[in-house]
């Protein structure tokens, strides 16, 4: 047992020099083994690092391709058409997100989308939007910010139009309804909504105490060669 390794040493610790007849083959083989092991370890660490780097690049490429092909004709036409298509996609996403926000935050609200997907109508009780004094409720600030952002001009001439209507059917005095809609318009303009994209009014055919918010996207531009000239 004279060749036993010293205490607390690795299992490959050479306890003594190799015998003359062995020509140092044991220590040489161990050195080669350790060298190969370290080389492979470094190789796999490098592969792992490269793999993570490529995953990030692939993710970025996939997101770019998805964005590029999310709207028809994005890769065709001039830069103006591309900007218009991107703005249309952005506006459509914003309007859809607004519908989700209304559904989640406004009780008894009803959200509908037109058949062509270019208009969204949100109908809700007036008390869900206005306070007792006639002004917009303080807890609807996030909703006003979202609406103002939707009505902001976009590149490519894309402009979402907003129509705010208060029902007055069966209501003898329209004064309170006019005051409420005026407060709504002023609040939206103060939050950055362009006055030209906003219209307000009273709807005699809608029940009193009901507010209808309509958001309309512009129709998509006709594509040359798509048969629009027939």
């Amino acid at each position: 047992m004279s060749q036993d390794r010293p205490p607390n040493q690795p299992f490959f610790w050479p306890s003594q020099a190799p015998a003359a007849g062995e020509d140092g083959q044991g220590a040489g083989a161990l050195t080669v083994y350790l060298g190969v092991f370290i080389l492979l370890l470094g190789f796999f660490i490098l592969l792992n690092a490269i793999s993570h780097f490529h995953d990030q690049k692939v993710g970025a490429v996939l997101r770019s391709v998805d964005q590029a092909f999310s709207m028809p004709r994005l890769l065709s036409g001039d830069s103006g058409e591309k900007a218009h298509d991107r703005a249309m996609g952005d506006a459509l996403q914003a309007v859809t997100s607004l519908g989700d926000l209304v559904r989640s935050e406004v009780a008894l609200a009803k959200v509908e989308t037109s058949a062509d997907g270019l208009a969204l109508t949100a109908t809700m009780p007036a008390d869900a939007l206005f306070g007792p004094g006639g002004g917009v409720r303080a807890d609807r600030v996030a909703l006003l910010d979202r609406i103002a952002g939707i009505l902001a001009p976009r590149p490519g001439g894309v402009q979402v139009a907003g129509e705010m209507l208060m029902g007055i059917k069966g209501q003898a005095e329209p004064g309170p309804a006019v005051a409420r809609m005026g407060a709504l318009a002023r609040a939206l303009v103060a939050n950055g909504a362009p006055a030209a994209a906003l219209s307000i009014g009273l709807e005699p055919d809608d029940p009193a105490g009901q507010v209808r918010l309509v958001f309309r996207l512009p129709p998509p531009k006709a594509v040359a060669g798509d048969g629009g000239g027939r």
Side-chain angles (χ1 to χ4, degrees), residues 17-28:
E22 294 177 354
D23 295 329
Q25 293 181 358

Side-chain angles (χ1 to χ4, degrees), residues 58-129:
V58 169
V61 170
L62 290 177
R63 289 191 297 271
S64 176
V65 171
D66 180 69
Q67 181 180 5
F69 287 92
S70 60
M71 290 293 296
R73 306 183 287 110
L74 188 58
L75 299 181
S76 64
D78 58 21
S79 59
E81 290 179 346
K82 294 179 181 180
H84 177 271
D85 286 342
R86 291 191 185 98
M88 280 290 291
D90 177 67
L92 180 60
Q93 183 179 6
V95 171
T96 302
S97 177
L98 174 65
D100 296 336
L101 178 64
V102 172
R103 290 188 185 96
S104 62
E105 292 194 2
V106 181
L108 304 179
K110 182 180 181 181
V111 178
E112 298 175 306
T113 304
S114 63
D116 58 6
L118 296 178
L120 181 139
T121 302
T123 305
M124 66 191 71
D127 292 341
L129 190 59

